[in-house]
Amino acid sequence: FVPSFGILGIGGVVALVIGSVILMDTEVPEMLISRQLIGAIGAVSALMMLGILLMVRRSLRIPRLASNKAMVGLTAVVVAVLFLLALFFAPRASMVPVFATAPALLYVATLMTSGLSQIDWGDITDAAPALVTALAMPLTFSIANGIALGFITYVAIKLVSGRYQQLNAALVAIAVLFVLKFAFLG
């Protein structure tokens, strides 16, 4: 459900409402949920999706910063402070049900995909690892596994194509560690 929420967002809201009406139509009084509550949850979900889509559209107008330009000065300090605050709130995040995080995941996915426009799609040795990374994240249900497969693919393609001079020791070491992780830890 979560990986396809962005593609099937409207369908997800419709399925939530119809499924809730069907499942909660019972004779057991403890299982009854009012149709007004189901409609309100569906309306709020639809409004949240609309809000996210509007934020995404607005973010497309903002110039993107890449590399070191994005993390200098006050921006880096703010990010560091927010990460420290996140340590305090992390245990409380487990109280949020998984289905409630879908709109946030959709927004994060949109932000992550905006970086795909900066890839040199004419160079297959750069484009293929980026594509593997982007596809592996939703298919494996793990951002970490997607990044790992991207590292492995990047190093493998550069070695096979004879462009090993574009690699450095850190890239190769990380790719080898990811291969060992998949081989021994699954």
Side-chain angles (χ1 to χ4, degrees):
F1 173 73
V2 174
S4 64
F5 193 83
I7 298 169
L8 305 173
I10 302 299
V13 172
V14 171
L16 171 78
V17 171
I18 293 173
S20 299
V21 169
I22 292 171
L23 287 175
M24 300 306 164
D25 188 22
T26 180
E27 302 291 323
V28 181
E30 291 83 17
M31 294 291 290
L32 289 177
I33 296 178
S34 71
R35 293 182 193 265
Q36 290 84 7
L37 178 63
I38 294 171
I41 290 173
V44 168
S45 297
L47 287 174
M48 286 177 60
M49 273 190 299
L50 180 64
I52 290 171
L53 290 174
L54 291 175
M55 284 189 280
V56 167
R57 186 168 178 202
R58 187 179 309 144
S59 71
L60 292 176
R61 294 185 197 139
I62 299 171
R64 289 175 207 84
L65 299 176
S67 173
N68 297 335
K69 296 178 186 174
M71 295 299 290
V72 293
L74 187 59
T75 304
V77 174
V78 170
V79 169
V81 169
L82 291 176
F83 269 106
L84 288 175
L85 285 173
L87 291 174
F88 174 72
F89 290 107
R92 287 148 185 82
S94 63
M95 298 185 315
V96 177
V98 175
F99 62 85
T101 62
L105 289 174
L106 175 63
Y107 180 67
V108 170
T110 306
L111 292 177
M112 291 177 74
T113 56
S114 66
L116 293 174
S117 65
Q118 299 174 4
I119 294 171
D120 180 14
W121 292 102
D123 182 9
I124 192 69
T125 63
D126 286 339
L131 185 63
V132 167
T133 303
L135 290 176
M137 287 181 193
L139 293 176
T140 62
F141 297 96
S142 171
I143 294 173
N145 286 343
I147 292 171
L149 290 171
F151 266 100
I152 294 167
T153 307
Y154 184 81
V155 170
I157 288 178
K158 291 292 184 181
L159 288 174
V160 170
S161 67
R163 295 187 185 180
Y164 52 85
Q165 68 275 10
Q166 295 178 353
L167 297 173
N168 59 36
L171 276 171
V172 175
I174 290 171
V176 168
L177 288 174
F178 279 136
V179 167
L180 293 174
K181 174 201 175 282
F182 285 132
F184 295 110
L185 300 177

